[in-house]
Amino acid sequence: MLSSYYTVKGYGEHEINVQKSRFIAYVERAETEQAAQDFIQSIKKKHHDANHNCSAYLIGENDQIQKANDDGEPSGTAGVPILEVLKKRKLKNTVVVITRYFGGIKLGAGGLIRAYGTSTSEGLDATGIVERKLMNIVAFRVNYSLLGKFENEIRNSEYPLKTINYLDDVEFQVNVPVNERDTLIDWITDLSSGNAHISDTSETEYLEQEV
């Protein structure tokens, strides 16, 4: 699993006009090729009357699946420019569909490449980008007399507090980047003067932060 990667926040859409043509960008996160294809088909169904519904997507930790479709535009002027923006932004598991309604003025190959690239970039900006970081979940228990101290210290630290469980002792669950687990454990040990009971867990999850 990747320690971190960038992807889109979720669904988004954004429209621009270029020489009287409408370019509507639709953006979505897709973790499988089937999900990407389903999204593309849903936009094509929604805009069945459009001149073109061009698309591209990147799927997989190592961008194993890359597809671009010009949907009737001159070869290389639509799908590829969309895909290149996704690559330049270093996004993963992302699908984009650009719906075009022709306005009567031909843009030429260069104009189309610029229009589809700009539409993609602005669509991504409107949707929002997040960084997903792989985190370990470190759980530890301390006496209730240390509840206030630890809650305050953790909330003011760089480590996101996942939950507090009120058991026989108070249990904290804290997220920590996988490569900083030992540092967190040392900090907890020092803060509790060795009185914290730390659970040995390898459980991980991704946390998202807007960029």
Side-chain angles (χ1 to χ4, degrees):
M1 299 176 74
L2 295 173
S3 60
S4 69
Y5 67 90
Y6 298 100
T7 187
V8 290
K9 189 175 182 180
Y11 174 82
E13 58 183 78
H14 180 75
E15 180 175 340
I16 65 172
N17 287 273
V18 180
Q19 295 293 316
K20 298 184 179 180
S21 281
R22 296 173 61 202
F23 291 83
I24 311 168
Y26 291 95
V27 180
E28 182 63 285
R29 190 184 300 185
E31 297 188 356
T32 66
E33 185 168 22
Q34 186 61 56
Q37 290 284 358
D38 288 346
F39 181 70
I40 293 168
Q41 291 306 314
S42 71
I43 301 301
K44 284 189 171 184
K45 184 177 180 180
K46 179 179 181 178
H47 290 288
H48 59 87
D49 59 336
N51 298 93
H52 309 280
N53 287 289
C54 307
S55 60
Y57 53 83
L58 283 172
I59 308 291
E61 288 189 358
N62 299 305
D63 304 331
Q64 298 96 315
I65 303 173
Q66 303 182 23
K67 295 289 176 63
N69 191 312
D70 294 314
D71 195 40
E73 292 281 33
S75 179
T77 63
V80 170
I82 299 170
L83 184 61
E84 287 303 312
V85 172
L86 298 182
K87 290 180 178 179
K88 185 177 180 180
R89 294 285 192 99
K90 298 181 180 179
L91 298 178
K92 297 185 181 299
N93 297 341
T94 300
V95 54
V96 174
V97 183
I98 307 293
T99 296
R100 183 191 181 193
Y101 286 93
F102 182 55
I105 300 174
K106 292 185 177 181
L107 301 180
L112 286 172
I113 291 170
R114 286 190 296 274
Y116 278 102
T118 299
S119 181
T120 303
S121 291
E122 293 193 12
L124 293 172
D125 290 340
T127 302
I129 306 299
V130 295
E131 182 179 12
R132 303 195 80 211
K133 290 185 177 181
L134 186 63
M135 308 289 251
N136 261 136
I137 302 170
V138 173
F140 64 93
R141 294 186 182 187
V142 295
N143 186 276
Y144 274 90
S145 63
L146 296 174
L147 170 59
K149 175 183 178 180
F150 265 87
E151 184 173 3
N152 183 64
E153 290 285 349
I154 292 169
R155 291 191 186 280
N156 286 296
S157 75
E158 61 187 285
Y159 305 113
L161 177 62
K162 181 176 174 65
T163 188
I164 300 176
N165 296 315
Y166 300 96
L167 309 169
D168 291 339
D169 289 322
V170 59
E171 181 188 68
F172 291 89
Q173 292 186 9
V174 180
N175 287 109
V176 56
V178 290
N179 59 348
E180 296 180 27
R181 184 174 182 276
D182 291 343
T183 301
L184 173 64
I185 290 174
D186 289 343
W187 180 63
I188 292 168
T189 301
D190 289 343
L191 199 60
S192 68
S193 299
N195 292 315
H197 177 72
I198 300 170
S199 301
D200 185 15
T201 175
S202 58
E203 186 179 356
T204 59
E205 65 180 2
Y206 278 106
L207 286 189
E208 297 182 3
Q209 183 176 9
E210 289 189 42
V211 296

